Amino acid sequence: MNNVLPHSLFTSFDIDLFRSGKHFQLYEKFGSHLLEVDGVKGGYFSVWAPAAKSVSVVGDFNYWVQGEHLLNVRWDGSGIWEGFIPGIENGAKYKYKIQSNVNGLVTEKADPFARYCELPPNTASVVWDLKYKWKDSGYMKTRADKNALDRPYSVYEVHLGSWKRKVEENRFLTYIEMAEELVAYVRETGFTHVEFMPVMEYPYDPSWGYQLVGYFAPTSRFGKPQDFMFLVDKFHEAGIGVILDWVPSHFPSDAHGLGFFDGSHLYEHPDIRKGYHPDWKSLVFNYGRNEVRSFLISNAMFWLQHYHVDGLRVDAVASMLYLDYSRNDGEWEPNIFGGRENLDSISFLKDFNEAVYANFDGVQTIAEESTSFPMVSRPTYVGGLGFGMKWMMGWMHDTLEYFKKEPIYRSYHQNDITFSMTYAFTENFMLPLSHDEVVYGKRSIFGRMPGDEWQRFANLRLLYSYMFTHPGSKLLFMGDEFGQSEEWKFDGSLDWHLLQYDFHNGIKKTVTALNKLYTSQPALFEKQFSQDGFEWIDYSDNQNCVISFIRKGNNPKDDLLVICNFTPVVREEYRIGLPSKSKLTEIFNSDHPDFGGSGVSNPKAVKAETKPWNGREYSAVVCLSPLGVSVFKIG
């Protein structure tokens, strides 16, 4: 007996939008929804399965018996199966049992639109009401200013499962516990934003969350959906923005996931040259299928709407842009113009960005993109992909290569540390030192630093100070802010005990001071993506391994002079050219004793004199600390 009543949340307009790839709120229609129909309370279920012969809802309410609750296929050829089951309550577990019309195959699938999932390794979806009383109205009214491109944007990247653990119980922190501990820590260290590696439900811990199954469900590892809302709410209460890693590039082939969903290639591209990712052994979305585009863009909108997130960092964009990404000759097919660009994916990314920025004020999309693909962070109306920012992978690679060299050899590699400025303003760049740089034998960021103990910590302070004074927004992976010694391990906790040691605590103090410098000095953020905000003083002093430049804001009175000394040699009388006859007041020095430094500084203001230097009419003599960065206010 079929105990499913005919019912629909879809209008004909919904169906038209879905089919055209323009329905961006599918989460209001698909999935499970608690409703009252003709005075009867229960659950409405709907799923897209056009190749299905029959679809049953199986769950703990019918002993997982196929055929007890058969959904009804819509008459309009949309491939949507739906129906209302009386008596369904919040917390009911369920899946879809799908018999394929193509090959008779029977699949048992989690709901692609489930708002909550069983704790892995269990795989059922859970009927869940997302009611929550938000308390962040004040923050939401002002976030457009907080998240603007001319505001400070300093990101603390976090893997929720390994930031900190309850050692005595060997368990994760919950969302509720993180709302107290993590929020307080990010506020203490001064970051403006936190970025979570994927929180959407995933089956396999070693994937770090990048192999998603529950695209609409925060992982149950740390609590319930409302608990995650509470965590976001608490970050907003502290004035901190929340960015989520989002993975529209690929998905795993787990039996309960999206792959071969209704016995056909529904979500993945049917051509293995476009539908399979050789690096991650995963499936690739079919970006040319309108219904799939609607699914993905709806997913992005869901997190922005229901979870109040402030940005989406889009993972592996490079793999989406190119048909030959990680493929050998003969393993890919050129596009209709004979090129290697994935035209469907490019079109999808433009649609995604247009939808996000048109519907939400004060949010940003950020591309993790490692190639020279043009105009990633330029508006679509001028031919760009439409992202707000792009990771500056070239800066990251060149800088880490430079810093791992002993200072005695750095004079031969000055170009590594200055080359980024030749293209720094071609995109809105974010400077990342991310989780990818502290795994797979690369060592921790601290582990790359050369020299004796003092020099290694001085080099790390130098690196971060150079990073925070370089144009662009910033991202630092958890643990880097106190000089984590070992590589990151996803199944453990950060080495918090290191903070008992002065040098490690000094790194934390340095990062905190740099965040304060970055957020308080307009010259470091007002024009961080504009050539107008930067001027070289000297990039050619490779003999001394010194570079110097000016950072500029809207008001010339805010201008800053930055001098970086990449050797352990104190330069007591270093002459520097200046654009005006001004005085220099040192406002930051990475060699400060509080940070673990030697205390070499410029305690008194330094006056410029009329003596030409560095091609400028005026100059001044300053003292450069060893392996240090000095920041001066020009006034």
Side-chain angles (χ1 to χ4, degrees), residues 492-524:
S493 173
L494 295 181
D495 294 330
W496 293 104
H497 66 277
L498 293 176
L499 283 170
Q500 67 184 302
Y501 302 110
D502 289 342
F503 277 139
H504 287 280
N505 197 39
I507 296 296
K508 180 186 171 187
K509 288 180 178 179
T510 304
V511 171
T512 302
L514 286 168
N515 273 321
K516 183 176 181 181
L517 179 75
Y518 177 42
T519 57
S520 65
Q521 296 298 322
L524 294 178

mmCIF file of all heavy atoms in Angstrom, residues 492-524:
data_model
loop_
_atom_site.group_PDB
_atom_site.id
_atom_site.type_symbol
_atom_site.label_atom_id
_atom_site.label_comp_id
_atom_site.label_asym_id
_atom_site.label_seq_id
_atom_site.Cartn_x
_atom_site.Cartn_y
_atom_site.Cartn_z
ATOM 1 N N GLY A 492 44.436 15.047 14.544
ATOM 2 C CA GLY A 492 44.920 15.413 15.869
ATOM 3 C C GLY A 492 44.628 16.871 16.152
ATOM 4 O O GLY A 492 43.865 17.511 15.436
ATOM 5 N N SER A 493 45.241 17.388 17.185
ATOM 6 C CA SER A 493 45.054 18.783 17.562
ATOM 7 C C SER A 493 46.320 19.565 17.243
ATOM 8 O O SER A 493 47.410 18.992 17.090
ATOM 9 C CB SER A 493 44.760 18.872 19.057
ATOM 10 O OG SER A 493 44.722 20.219 19.486
ATOM 11 N N LEU A 494 46.180 20.876 17.097
ATOM 12 C CA LEU A 494 47.364 21.716 17.000
ATOM 13 C C LEU A 494 48.195 21.572 18.275
ATOM 14 O O LEU A 494 47.684 21.205 19.332
ATOM 15 C CB LEU A 494 46.970 23.178 16.810
ATOM 16 C CG LEU A 494 46.242 23.556 15.519
ATOM 17 C CD1 LEU A 494 45.949 25.062 15.501
ATOM 18 C CD2 LEU A 494 47.056 23.180 14.282
ATOM 19 N N ASP A 495 49.483 21.881 18.180
ATOM 20 C CA ASP A 495 50.401 21.724 19.313
ATOM 21 C C ASP A 495 50.356 22.959 20.208
ATOM 22 O O ASP A 495 51.293 23.778 20.258
ATOM 23 C CB ASP A 495 51.827 21.479 18.811
ATOM 24 C CG ASP A 495 51.961 20.157 18.080
ATOM 25 O OD1 ASP A 495 51.206 19.220 18.419
ATOM 26 O OD2 ASP A 495 52.814 20.056 17.184
ATOM 27 N N TRP A 496 49.237 23.092 20.937
ATOM 28 C CA TRP A 496 49.022 24.292 21.753
ATOM 29 C C TRP A 496 50.042 24.430 22.875
ATOM 30 O O TRP A 496 50.265 25.542 23.382
ATOM 31 C CB TRP A 496 47.601 24.268 22.326
ATOM 32 C CG TRP A 496 46.560 24.416 21.260
ATOM 33 C CD1 TRP A 496 45.774 23.445 20.730
ATOM 34 C CD2 TRP A 496 46.234 25.622 20.556
ATOM 35 N NE1 TRP A 496 44.963 23.959 19.737
ATOM 36 C CE2 TRP A 496 45.218 25.290 19.617
ATOM 37 C CE3 TRP A 496 46.680 26.933 20.623
ATOM 38 C CZ2 TRP A 496 44.654 26.240 18.765
ATOM 39 C CZ3 TRP A 496 46.125 27.879 19.777
ATOM 40 C CH2 TRP A 496 45.124 27.532 18.862
ATOM 41 N N HIS A 497 50.669 23.321 23.258
ATOM 42 C CA HIS A 497 51.661 23.401 24.326
ATOM 43 C C HIS A 497 52.853 24.268 23.947
ATOM 44 O O HIS A 497 53.589 24.744 24.824
ATOM 45 C CB HIS A 497 52.146 21.995 24.698
ATOM 46 C CG HIS A 497 52.919 21.312 23.602
ATOM 47 N ND1 HIS A 497 52.303 20.643 22.565
ATOM 48 C CD2 HIS A 497 54.261 21.220 23.370
ATOM 49 C CE1 HIS A 497 53.216 20.152 21.754
ATOM 50 N NE2 HIS A 497 54.410 20.483 22.209
ATOM 51 N N LEU A 498 53.056 24.502 22.656
ATOM 52 C CA LEU A 498 54.196 25.312 22.215
ATOM 53 C C LEU A 498 54.111 26.756 22.710
ATOM 54 O O LEU A 498 55.128 27.446 22.808
ATOM 55 C CB LEU A 498 54.303 25.301 20.685
ATOM 56 C CG LEU A 498 54.662 23.961 20.033
ATOM 57 C CD1 LEU A 498 54.622 24.081 18.515
ATOM 58 C CD2 LEU A 498 56.033 23.482 20.492
ATOM 59 N N LEU A 499 52.895 27.206 23.015
ATOM 60 C CA LEU A 499 52.736 28.601 23.447
ATOM 61 C C LEU A 499 53.367 28.870 24.814
ATOM 62 O O LEU A 499 53.477 30.036 25.216
ATOM 63 C CB LEU A 499 51.258 28.975 23.464
ATOM 64 C CG LEU A 499 50.651 29.243 22.081
ATOM 65 C CD1 LEU A 499 49.143 29.373 22.160
ATOM 66 C CD2 LEU A 499 51.261 30.499 21.460
ATOM 67 N N GLN A 500 53.788 27.821 25.515
ATOM 68 C CA GLN A 500 54.489 28.052 26.783
ATOM 69 C C GLN A 500 55.920 28.538 26.551
ATOM 70 O O GLN A 500 56.577 29.018 27.480
ATOM 71 C CB GLN A 500 54.502 26.769 27.610
ATOM 72 C CG GLN A 500 55.341 25.646 27.016
ATOM 73 C CD GLN A 500 55.266 24.358 27.802
ATOM 74 O OE1 GLN A 500 55.598 24.334 28.994
ATOM 75 N NE2 GLN A 500 54.806 23.288 27.157
ATOM 76 N N TYR A 501 56.396 28.420 25.314
ATOM 77 C CA TYR A 501 57.763 28.823 24.995
ATOM 78 C C TYR A 501 57.764 30.233 24.406
ATOM 79 O O TYR A 501 56.934 30.575 23.553
ATOM 80 C CB TYR A 501 58.403 27.833 24.021
ATOM 81 C CG TYR A 501 58.421 26.420 24.550
ATOM 82 C CD1 TYR A 501 57.604 25.436 23.983
ATOM 83 C CD2 TYR A 501 59.232 26.072 25.628
ATOM 84 C CE1 TYR A 501 57.604 24.125 24.482
ATOM 85 C CE2 TYR A 501 59.241 24.769 26.121
ATOM 86 C CZ TYR A 501 58.417 23.813 25.550
ATOM 87 O OH TYR A 501 58.419 22.532 26.057
ATOM 88 N N ASP A 502 58.706 31.032 24.837
ATOM 89 C CA ASP A 502 58.716 32.455 24.499
ATOM 90 C C ASP A 502 58.749 32.707 22.998
ATOM 91 O O ASP A 502 58.052 33.604 22.502
ATOM 92 C CB ASP A 502 59.918 33.142 25.166
ATOM 93 C CG ASP A 502 59.763 33.256 26.673
ATOM 94 O OD1 ASP A 502 58.618 33.125 27.156
ATOM 95 O OD2 ASP A 502 60.776 33.468 27.370
ATOM 96 N N PHE A 503 59.560 31.952 22.267
ATOM 97 C CA PHE A 503 59.675 32.199 20.832
ATOM 98 C C PHE A 503 58.345 31.944 20.113
ATOM 99 O O PHE A 503 57.940 32.705 19.229
ATOM 100 C CB PHE A 503 60.778 31.351 20.212
ATOM 101 C CG PHE A 503 62.157 31.945 20.352
ATOM 102 C CD1 PHE A 503 63.249 31.147 20.653
ATOM 103 C CD2 PHE A 503 62.368 33.306 20.184
ATOM 104 C CE1 PHE A 503 64.523 31.686 20.782
ATOM 105 C CE2 PHE A 503 63.636 33.862 20.308
ATOM 106 C CZ PHE A 503 64.716 33.057 20.609
ATOM 107 N N HIS A 504 57.674 30.855 20.469
ATOM 108 C CA HIS A 504 56.387 30.561 19.834
ATOM 109 C C HIS A 504 55.331 31.582 20.246
ATOM 110 O O HIS A 504 54.545 32.038 19.406
ATOM 111 C CB HIS A 504 55.933 29.143 20.205
ATOM 112 C CG HIS A 504 56.712 28.070 19.530
ATOM 113 N ND1 HIS A 504 56.465 27.673 18.221
ATOM 114 C CD2 HIS A 504 57.746 27.307 19.968
ATOM 115 C CE1 HIS A 504 57.308 26.710 17.894
ATOM 116 N NE2 HIS A 504 58.095 26.461 18.931
ATOM 117 N N ASN A 505 55.327 31.927 21.517
ATOM 118 C CA ASN A 505 54.396 32.954 21.973
ATOM 119 C C ASN A 505 54.701 34.285 21.303
ATOM 120 O O ASN A 505 53.798 35.082 21.022
ATOM 121 C CB ASN A 505 54.459 33.082 23.495
ATOM 122 C CG ASN A 505 53.251 33.801 24.053
ATOM 123 O OD1 ASN A 505 52.129 33.604 23.592
ATOM 124 N ND2 ASN A 505 53.468 34.643 25.043
ATOM 125 N N GLY A 506 55.974 34.507 21.013
ATOM 126 C CA GLY A 506 56.374 35.741 20.321
ATOM 127 C C GLY A 506 55.835 35.794 18.900
ATOM 128 O O GLY A 506 55.495 36.876 18.396
ATOM 129 N N ILE A 507 55.749 34.642 18.235
ATOM 130 C CA ILE A 507 55.150 34.609 16.892
ATOM 131 C C ILE A 507 53.677 34.991 16.974
ATOM 132 O O ILE A 507 53.175 35.772 16.160
ATOM 133 C CB ILE A 507 55.314 33.211 16.256
ATOM 134 C CG1 ILE A 507 56.801 32.887 16.037
ATOM 135 C CG2 ILE A 507 54.549 33.139 14.934
ATOM 136 C CD1 ILE A 507 57.505 33.793 15.061
ATOM 137 N N LYS A 508 52.974 34.444 17.956
ATOM 138 C CA LYS A 508 51.566 34.790 18.134
ATOM 139 C C LYS A 508 51.413 36.293 18.392
ATOM 140 O O LYS A 508 50.516 36.945 17.839
ATOM 141 C CB LYS A 508 50.970 33.981 19.286
ATOM 142 C CG LYS A 508 49.500 34.285 19.531
ATOM 143 C CD LYS A 508 48.978 33.576 20.770
ATOM 144 C CE LYS A 508 47.573 34.047 21.127
ATOM 145 N NZ LYS A 508 47.119 33.498 22.423
ATOM 146 N N LYS A 509 52.268 36.843 19.211
ATOM 147 C CA LYS A 509 52.213 38.286 19.488
ATOM 148 C C LYS A 509 52.503 39.094 18.219
ATOM 149 O O LYS A 509 51.904 40.149 17.993
ATOM 150 C CB LYS A 509 53.213 38.646 20.579
ATOM 151 C CG LYS A 509 52.827 38.166 21.963
ATOM 152 C CD LYS A 509 53.873 38.570 22.997
ATOM 153 C CE LYS A 509 53.477 38.137 24.406
ATOM 154 N NZ LYS A 509 54.522 38.508 25.405
ATOM 155 N N THR A 510 53.409 38.577 17.383
ATOM 156 C CA THR A 510 53.731 39.264 16.126
ATOM 157 C C THR A 510 52.521 39.302 15.210
ATOM 158 O O THR A 510 52.179 40.350 14.647
ATOM 159 C CB THR A 510 54.892 38.546 15.404
ATOM 160 O OG1 THR A 510 56.020 38.460 16.268
ATOM 161 C CG2 THR A 510 55.278 39.308 14.137
ATOM 162 N N VAL A 511 51.871 38.155 15.040
ATOM 163 C CA VAL A 511 50.699 38.090 14.163
ATOM 164 C C VAL A 511 49.586 38.977 14.710
ATOM 165 O O VAL A 511 48.895 39.674 13.946
ATOM 166 C CB VAL A 511 50.230 36.629 14.004
ATOM 167 C CG1 VAL A 511 48.888 36.564 13.286
ATOM 168 C CG2 VAL A 511 51.274 35.821 13.235
ATOM 169 N N THR A 512 49.397 38.966 16.011
ATOM 170 C CA THR A 512 48.378 39.830 16.624
ATOM 171 C C THR A 512 48.692 41.299 16.353
ATOM 172 O O THR A 512 47.799 42.083 16.003
ATOM 173 C CB THR A 512 48.306 39.567 18.134
ATOM 174 O OG1 THR A 512 48.010 38.187 18.369
ATOM 175 C CG2 THR A 512 47.235 40.430 18.784
ATOM 176 N N ALA A 513 49.962 41.658 16.494
ATOM 177 C CA ALA A 513 50.369 43.044 16.231
ATOM 178 C C ALA A 513 50.220 43.394 14.756
ATOM 179 O O ALA A 513 49.839 44.520 14.405
ATOM 180 C CB ALA A 513 51.812 43.256 16.686
ATOM 181 N N LEU A 514 50.510 42.447 13.880
ATOM 182 C CA LEU A 514 50.356 42.689 12.440
ATOM 183 C C LEU A 514 48.894 42.871 12.060
ATOM 184 O O LEU A 514 48.557 43.716 11.222
ATOM 185 C CB LEU A 514 50.981 41.546 11.647
ATOM 186 C CG LEU A 514 52.504 41.525 11.605
ATOM 187 C CD1 LEU A 514 53.023 40.198 11.057
ATOM 188 C CD2 LEU A 514 53.040 42.691 10.765
ATOM 189 N N ASN A 515 48.003 42.083 12.663
ATOM 190 C CA ASN A 515 46.584 42.276 12.414
ATOM 191 C C ASN A 515 46.131 43.655 12.884
ATOM 192 O O ASN A 515 45.331 44.319 12.222
ATOM 193 C CB ASN A 515 45.763 41.181 13.111
ATOM 194 C CG ASN A 515 45.605 39.946 12.250
ATOM 195 O OD1 ASN A 515 45.417 40.030 11.045
ATOM 196 N ND2 ASN A 515 45.690 38.771 12.873
ATOM 197 N N LYS A 516 46.648 44.089 14.024
ATOM 198 C CA LYS A 516 46.304 45.415 14.532
ATOM 199 C C LYS A 516 46.844 46.498 13.600
ATOM 200 O O LYS A 516 46.163 47.496 13.304
ATOM 201 C CB LYS A 516 46.871 45.601 15.937
ATOM 202 C CG LYS A 516 46.485 46.935 16.572
ATOM 203 C CD LYS A 516 46.993 47.042 18.008
ATOM 204 C CE LYS A 516 46.576 48.362 18.633
ATOM 205 N NZ LYS A 516 47.087 48.482 20.038
ATOM 206 N N LEU A 517 48.075 46.306 13.112
ATOM 207 C CA LEU A 517 48.662 47.260 12.164
ATOM 208 C C LEU A 517 47.838 47.331 10.884
ATOM 209 O O LEU A 517 47.485 48.416 10.401
ATOM 210 C CB LEU A 517 50.099 46.834 11.853
ATOM 211 C CG LEU A 517 50.873 47.719 10.857
ATOM 212 C CD1 LEU A 517 51.310 49.017 11.530
ATOM 213 C CD2 LEU A 517 52.101 46.962 10.324
ATOM 214 N N TYR A 518 47.512 46.161 10.347
ATOM 215 C CA TYR A 518 46.772 46.080 9.085
ATOM 216 C C TYR A 518 45.391 46.721 9.206
ATOM 217 O O TYR A 518 44.943 47.443 8.306
ATOM 218 C CB TYR A 518 46.660 44.599 8.694
ATOM 219 C CG TYR A 518 45.869 44.302 7.441
ATOM 220 C CD1 TYR A 518 45.977 45.078 6.291
ATOM 221 C CD2 TYR A 518 45.013 43.197 7.406
ATOM 222 C CE1 TYR A 518 45.246 44.768 5.149
ATOM 223 C CE2 TYR A 518 44.291 42.878 6.262
ATOM 224 C CZ TYR A 518 44.409 43.676 5.138
ATOM 225 O OH TYR A 518 43.688 43.378 4.004
ATOM 226 N N THR A 519 44.710 46.464 10.304
ATOM 227 C CA THR A 519 43.344 46.965 10.447
ATOM 228 C C THR A 519 43.279 48.425 10.875
ATOM 229 O O THR A 519 42.238 49.064 10.735
ATOM 230 C CB THR A 519 42.562 46.118 11.470
ATOM 231 O OG1 THR A 519 43.249 46.116 12.728
ATOM 232 C CG2 THR A 519 42.404 44.684 10.978
ATOM 233 N N SER A 520 44.382 48.972 11.374
ATOM 234 C CA SER A 520 44.367 50.350 11.876
ATOM 235 C C SER A 520 45.008 51.351 10.927
ATOM 236 O O SER A 520 44.833 52.561 11.105
ATOM 237 C CB SER A 520 45.075 50.423 13.237
ATOM 238 O OG SER A 520 46.459 50.111 13.102
ATOM 239 N N GLN A 521 45.732 50.874 9.929
ATOM 240 C CA GLN A 521 46.446 51.768 9.018
ATOM 241 C C GLN A 521 45.781 51.758 7.647
ATOM 242 O O GLN A 521 45.927 50.798 6.882
ATOM 243 C CB GLN A 521 47.912 51.342 8.900
ATOM 244 C CG GLN A 521 48.702 51.458 10.188
ATOM 245 C CD GLN A 521 48.784 52.889 10.688
ATOM 246 O OE1 GLN A 521 48.914 53.836 9.908
ATOM 247 N NE2 GLN A 521 48.699 53.058 12.004
ATOM 248 N N PRO A 522 45.037 52.805 7.295
ATOM 249 C CA PRO A 522 44.334 52.842 6.005
ATOM 250 C C PRO A 522 45.233 52.608 4.801
ATOM 251 O O PRO A 522 44.779 52.081 3.779
ATOM 252 C CB PRO A 522 43.719 54.250 5.985
ATOM 253 C CG PRO A 522 43.591 54.633 7.428
ATOM 254 C CD PRO A 522 44.775 54.015 8.107
ATOM 255 N N ALA A 523 46.517 52.990 4.904
ATOM 256 C CA ALA A 523 47.425 52.802 3.773
ATOM 257 C C ALA A 523 47.618 51.333 3.425
ATOM 258 O O ALA A 523 48.008 51.004 2.299
ATOM 259 C CB ALA A 523 48.782 53.434 4.085
ATOM 260 N N LEU A 524 47.306 50.435 4.363
ATOM 261 C CA LEU A 524 47.498 49.018 4.123
ATOM 262 C C LEU A 524 46.268 48.336 3.537
ATOM 263 O O LEU A 524 46.344 47.172 3.114
ATOM 264 C CB LEU A 524 47.914 48.306 5.421
ATOM 265 C CG LEU A 524 49.283 48.680 5.986
ATOM 266 C CD1 LEU A 524 49.541 47.933 7.278
ATOM 267 C CD2 LEU A 524 50.401 48.406 4.975
#
